[in-house]
Amino acid sequence: MIGRLNHVAIAVQDVEAAAKIYQETLGATVSEKVAQPDHGVWTIFVELPNTKIELLEPLGDNSPIAGFLKNNPKGGMHHLCYEVEDIEAACAQMRAQGATITGTGEPRIGAHGKPVVFLHPKDFCGTLIELEQV
Ligand code: CO
């Protein structure tokens, strides 16, 4: 079912400072800083030859990554995003396998304008998983 690794998301206190590390220390190409008010985050994407790194900074009072950063004040890996061809079929398979889809359990439009769901870390080796229909 799962396809390519679409991105690895890293939660940080300051996406511009984090992007500078990727750009200057590691020599990567980085995107502009973009507000994602529907998702409660600022994002900067780091473009790599085979995938992307999604840098996330809290935006607003109810950011979904605020709790994570409280527990990981230096930042840390927040989720992995895998591509799927059909998000509804993927959700059906996850339910059949007993995996927990977070939130309402229904796909919503993610940070790239495509349908996504998040799978609970308890079912996936302690890692929050995002599935994105591409
Ligand atoms: Co993501």
Side-chain angles (χ1 to χ4, degrees), residues 94-130:
M94 290 305 96
R95 283 185 212 104
Q97 294 292 329
T100 303
I101 301 170
T102 65
T104 63
E106 296 302 319
R108 61 194 191 112
I109 297 303
H112 313 123
K114 294 177 177 162
V116 302
V117 291
F118 283 89
L119 305 175
H120 199 285
K122 68 184 169 69
D123 302 320
F124 295 95
C125 317
T127 309
L128 179 64
I129 301 286
E130 180 178 21

Side-chain angles (χ1 to χ4, degrees), residues 7 54 79 130:
H7 60 269
E54 179 183 68
H79 64 266
E130 180 178 21

Side-chain angles (χ1 to χ4, degrees), residues 6-9 45 54 56 78-81 110-112 116 118 130 132:
N6 184 276
H7 60 269
V8 177
F45 280 93
E54 179 183 68
L56 303 173
H78 185 260
H79 64 266
L80 297 172
C81 178
H112 313 123
V116 302
F118 283 89
E130 180 178 21
E132 179 175 292

Side-chain angles (χ1 to χ4, degrees), residues 25-65:
T25 308
L26 293 169
T29 301
V30 304
S31 74
E32 293 299 305
K33 180 178 178 181
V34 177
Q36 309 267 5
D38 291 350
H39 299 279
V41 291
W42 291 96
T43 56
I44 291 181
F45 280 93
V46 180
E47 296 290 339
L48 301 180
N50 59 345
T51 191
K52 294 183 285 276
I53 306 297
E54 179 183 68
L55 301 171
L56 303 173
E57 174 187 326
L59 168 61
D61 295 332
N62 296 312
S63 175
I65 63 168

